[in-house]
Amino acid sequence: MSRRRPLLLIAPAAGLIFFFVMLPYINVLVMSLRMPGADGKPYGPGFGMEAYAQFFAENYYLSALPHTLWLGIVTTAVCLVLGYPLALHIATASRRWRGLLYGIVLSPLLVGIVIRSYGWTILLGNTGVINKTLKDLGIITRPLKLMYNDFGVVLALAHVFLPFMVLPLLASLQGIDPAIGQAARSLGASRLTVFRRVTFPVSMPGVQSGCILVFVLAISSYVTPALIGGMRVKTTTILVVDALIDQFLWPFGSAMALVLAVSAGLIVIAFAMLTRMKWK
Amino acid sequence: MTEVSLLSLVKSYGGAPALRGISLNVGHGQFVSLLGPSGCGKSTTLRCIAGFEEVTDGRILFDGKDISRKLPEKRDIGMVFQSYALFPHLTVAQNLAFGLEMRKVPKAQIAERVAKTLDLVQLTPYAGRYPKALSGGQQQRVALGRALVIEPAILLLDEPLANLDAKLRDEMRGFIRDLQKRVGITTIYVTHDQNEAMTMSDLVVVMFDGDIAQAGTPEEIYNTPATEQVARFVGNANILDLPVAASGAGMAEVTLPGGAALSVPAPATPGARLGIMARPEQIALADAGQGHLQGRVTRRLFGGGYIDYEIATDCGVLAVQTPANVLAGEGAAVGLVLDPARLWPVARDAAA
Ligand SMILES: Nc1ncnc2c1ncn2[C@@H]1O[C@H](COP(=O)(O)OP(=O)(O)O)[C@@H](O)[C@H]1O
Ligand SMILES: [Mg+2]
């Protein structure tokens, strides 16, 4: 009886995942194996590997994949580099400050994604706040290219997903017994060495989950790269939406979505193995 | 081996004093306990010595040299924490090696010293395990080994046994004391458990409210406590409040409610009242009508090798501990015999 209870408790979550994650995935898989349609039909009769063949044959689509994964990796790295000091600071701040800083970190999540991305276009555009100010000050004559390129996309993505890096890091850092750092100090380690040899490695679980979260969210995001990248930054996710909604190519779009998911999955697995912690 | 001196050490947290100017000398290789109730400043003292707290005033000397301004990593200290504070991402052997690596000891020597210390703390079979896979007692020994392997000038322990169960605690108590004697390291040990302090220490320092109330050998603290507060904190104490009948030559004669007179070593003026301490095992039972004081047994608790009595007398309810073969039933009238040689006058608490 007591061994059954945990199973019973996860049943609702398991059901939810089955109906809303597994079933759609199976549906996508089946769709990707259908033949292309004719006369404006999204797909035709019969099954085959046509969609995959088309994806791997056309450089326009194929080359977007590594580019998308690269944008995800860079966004993750930027979030880690910006988020770690922030999390460290919040973890050691006094209780009053902690609440305030926590709120600031979470604040990007309070604004809708479209509005937030639009906000970045106001800042980064050729006639946006930054370029206009620099021009008025006479520092530049021609506008800096701040958007419609990878730079702008990574910047906006990092802004959106920073909380997803900071929160797991914070949880990890706050779980560390402060006496551990003191023990290291008493054993002869300087503050910097304590960070390098103790704090950072012990916070690895947070680094791991933060990086995986941000990476997965970044490569699958649509609105931000579409708005900030304009037509010039083509990510696989944007191409998938194009194929499914604009071009009505359901098998092709599905195949592309699956290839992206599998590639991302492989990268996540490789990352998890590289950062495996035997001590957990 | 190092001598540690605290000179009028003051530590305040935003104006609230945690240490009110304590002075203490810990000799070469001595085992000194800081004993006191929670919040009296024991850990603060230790943290000041270790360098984790900046002292507000006063000085800390190691072998006569002032180290109060030194960084913790420069103080050459081994510290054991109540939470053990092991490095979770390092194996037992790596935990021990950490301090040696910080000291840039050559690799071969590190391996050798780690192996020797693992043997000392009886953890050789666990060298490759992570802390998570160890019991509380084993983690405790890793912490001890990690502090000792660097051969520090002094060893600081902050309630190291508080998280262990009673049986293991007794075992570890003997283990730590033996180890300390073998290594001969100057040791400061923080505890709120008077039993622990008494059994392990060369010197017990009793602290209350940021001040040292008394420092002395365990015997001195137990038999000749300076104040009623110390007497009550260190073991069970009966304090009899008695009038002084006569005095002279440093002795005072006090009279008990039944008329019996006792002399105790205290300067006092006739007519004043003295607080006289008698430990439960320093009072013997006799037949009713005999002894210094009469009473009635209100409670009897069999403790195996001894019996704890509570006896109502004209001096209040007294605790008496006798060997298990001395039998008096609850409700029985008994006489109490005090041991004049062991009675000790104590300063009464202001509140009492
Ligand atoms: N970081 C701190 N900030 C403010 N007050 C503190 C701090 N650390 C300790 N105190 C106070 O100092 C006093 C002594 O604490 P401590 O040394 O930890 O006592 P203990 O004898 O239980 O180890 C307590 O009243 C405690 O509240
Ligand atoms: Mg304490």
Side-chain angles (χ1 to χ4, degrees):
Chain A
M1 186 64 207
S2 60
R3 285 185 61 87
R4 279 244 176 92
R5 196 157 291 159
L7 278 181
L8 223 68
L9 286 174
I10 63 162
L16 216 65
I17 286 175
F18 180 76
F19 283 108
F20 295 104
V21 179
M22 294 309 285
L23 274 188
Y25 255 104
I26 292 168
N27 198 18
V28 169
L29 179 64
V30 171
M31 179 57 70
S32 75
L33 294 170
R34 289 188 189 277
M35 301 302 276
D39 313 325
K41 293 240 179 67
Y43 58 90
F47 291 91
M49 300 292 284
E50 292 284 320
Y52 291 96
Q54 187 191 351
F55 174 76
F56 285 105
E58 289 192 37
N59 194 44
Y60 176 70
Y61 293 107
L62 189 56
S63 63
L65 180 63
H67 187 213
T68 307
L69 297 173
W70 178 243
L71 283 180
I73 289 170
V74 174
T75 303
T76 307
V78 170
C79 281
L80 182 61
V81 169
L82 294 179
Y84 203 103
L86 194 58
L88 202 59
H89 189 78
I90 298 176
T92 52
S94 71
R95 191 169 302 179
R96 222 183 42 209
W97 279 104
R98 197 180 302 161
L100 187 68
L101 292 168
Y102 218 84
I104 292 173
V105 168
L106 289 178
S107 63
L109 300 179
L110 299 176
V111 183
I113 190 148
V114 177
I115 296 171
R116 194 170 45 216
S117 298
Y118 184 68
W120 277 108
T121 67
I122 293 176
L123 276 178
L124 302 177
N126 281 352
T127 53
V129 175
I130 294 175
N131 273 323
K132 205 164 171 322
T133 310
L134 290 176
K135 221 176 195 166
D136 290 351
L137 291 174
I139 296 170
I140 54 171
T141 49
R142 277 192 301 153
L144 296 174
K145 286 209 142 314
L146 299 176
M147 59 181 284
Y148 305 123
N149 59 12
D150 288 354
F151 172 82
V153 172
V154 167
L155 186 65
L157 285 177
H159 171 233
V160 181
F161 297 133
L162 194 61
F164 296 95
M165 180 63 82
V166 171
L167 292 182
L169 282 176
L170 202 51
S172 224
L173 287 169
Q174 283 180 330
I176 299 177
D177 178 2
I180 287 181
Q182 294 176 352
R185 290 297 293 279
S186 75
L187 290 167
S190 64
R191 280 165 175 278
L192 192 67
T193 311
V194 172
F195 177 77
R196 208 166 45 79
R197 292 283 311 266
V198 181
T199 314
F200 187 73
V202 175
S203 71
M204 233 11 228
V207 173
Q208 213 179 42
S209 37
C211 283
I212 291 174
L213 263 176
V214 170
F215 175 71
V216 169
L217 289 170
I219 58 153
S220 58
S221 59
Y222 172 76
V223 175
T224 305
L227 279 181
I228 309 285
M231 290 296 108
R232 259 157 279 192
V233 180
K234 283 287 178 202
T235 68
T236 303
T237 309
I238 291 174
L239 295 177
V240 167
V241 176
D242 267 6
L244 291 177
I245 293 175
D246 294 344
Q247 306 180 47
F248 234 41
L249 304 171
W250 289 8
F252 181 60
S254 301
M256 208 156 33
L258 279 181
V259 172
L260 177 64
V262 169
S263 318
L266 288 177
I267 288 179
V268 167
I269 289 170
F271 174 73
M273 276 182 4
L274 275 175
T275 56
R276 207 176 103 226
M277 293 152 279
K278 273 187 287 180
W279 51 276
K280 279 303 286 178
Chain B
M1 275 199 267
T2 304
E3 199 176 7
V4 180
S5 308
L6 310 183
L7 303 177
S8 321
L9 205 60
V10 175
K11 174 69 196 175
S12 310
Y13 292 105
L19 297 177
R20 302 166 189 274
I22 62 169
S23 296
L24 176 67
N25 205 66
V26 182
H28 295 284
Q30 257 195 336
F31 192 116
V32 173
S33 289
L34 304 184
L35 172 67
S38 172
C40 71
K42 309 179 296 290
S43 297
T44 303
T45 309
L46 220 55
R47 295 163 52 75
C48 286
I49 298 173
F52 303 137
E53 300 285 359
E54 210 172 304
V55 304
T56 309
D57 198 12
R59 294 193 299 157
I60 304 168
L61 310 183
F62 287 1
D63 277 342
K65 279 197 289 287
D66 189 343
I67 53 95
S68 341
R69 306 281 163 223
K70 266 195 183 178
L71 292 171
E73 61 265 35
K74 305 276 186 224
R75 293 194 183 189
D76 198 17
I77 274 171
M79 180 139 179
V80 176
F81 296 82
Q82 183 175 344
S83 60
Y84 314 141
L86 300 180
F87 306 131
H89 62 304
L90 302 180
T91 63
V92 170
Q94 289 168 336
N95 262 278
L96 263 61
F98 188 91
L100 297 174
E101 287 165 12
M102 293 301 119
R103 284 166 170 67
K104 307 248 183 318
V105 175
K107 270 222 158 65
Q109 255 187 61
I110 290 182
E112 188 186 319
R113 280 169 72 175
V114 167
K116 218 175 78 191
T117 308
L118 280 174
D119 193 45
L120 192 70
V121 294
Q122 299 166 14
L123 283 170
T124 307
Y126 303 96
R129 287 224 196 152
Y130 287 98
K132 223 181 176 179
L134 298 177
S135 73
Q138 289 165 342
Q139 291 188 24
Q140 178 61 79
R141 296 210 301 273
V142 178
L144 210 54
R146 186 180 63 178
L148 286 175
V149 71
I150 57 172
E151 293 173 9
I154 59 173
L155 179 63
L156 306 177
L157 304 104
D158 194 352
E159 312 221 13
L161 306 185
N163 290 339
L164 300 178
D165 60 56
K167 190 168 171 300
L168 201 56
R169 198 153 51 215
D170 286 349
E171 253 174 59
M172 282 303 291
R173 194 191 290 180
F175 182 83
I176 291 178
R177 182 53 169 150
D178 289 349
L179 199 63
Q180 189 268 340
K181 273 195 183 140
R182 195 133 40 105
V183 180
I185 186 171
T186 307
T187 302
I188 304 179
Y189 185 100
V190 161
T191 180
H192 65 264
D193 180 334
Q194 53 98 9
N195 217 346
E196 234 169 78
M198 302 286 260
T199 49
M200 299 174 80
S201 321
D202 299 314
L203 187 77
V204 177
V205 178
V206 185
M207 292 179 66
F208 292 110
D209 196 22
D211 247 329
I212 295 179
Q214 188 176 6
T217 64
E219 291 81 2
E220 283 167 358
I221 298 284
Y222 187 77
N223 291 322
T224 59
T227 66
E228 179 179 356
Q229 202 179 19
V230 174
R232 290 194 189 282
F233 193 77
V234 182
N236 211 340
N238 299 300
I239 311 284
L240 310 177
D241 186 46
L242 301 174
V244 177
S247 68
M251 298 296 281
E253 196 175 272
V254 292
T255 35
L256 287 156
L262 289 164
S263 70
V264 291
T269 48
R273 298 184 78 84
L274 267 184
I276 308 291
M277 181 197 74
R279 299 281 184 194
E281 71 281 2
Q282 294 166 357
I283 303 176
L285 293 190
D287 291 336
Q290 296 189 330
H292 300 102
L293 197 61
Q294 302 307 308
R296 191 168 291 279
V297 177
T298 54
R299 187 193 279 163
R300 191 181 77 169
L301 298 171
F302 179 68
Y306 57 88
I307 299 178
D308 280 321
Y309 289 99
E310 258 178 26
I311 296 171
T313 70
D314 291 340
C315 283
V317 177
L318 302 185
V320 176
Q321 191 178 71
T322 69
N325 58 359
V326 178
L327 291 176
E330 283 184 6
V334 291
L336 279 69
V337 184
L338 302 170
D339 180 355
R342 304 190 61 181
L343 294 177
W344 180 253
V346 291
R348 302 303 310 269
D349 288 350

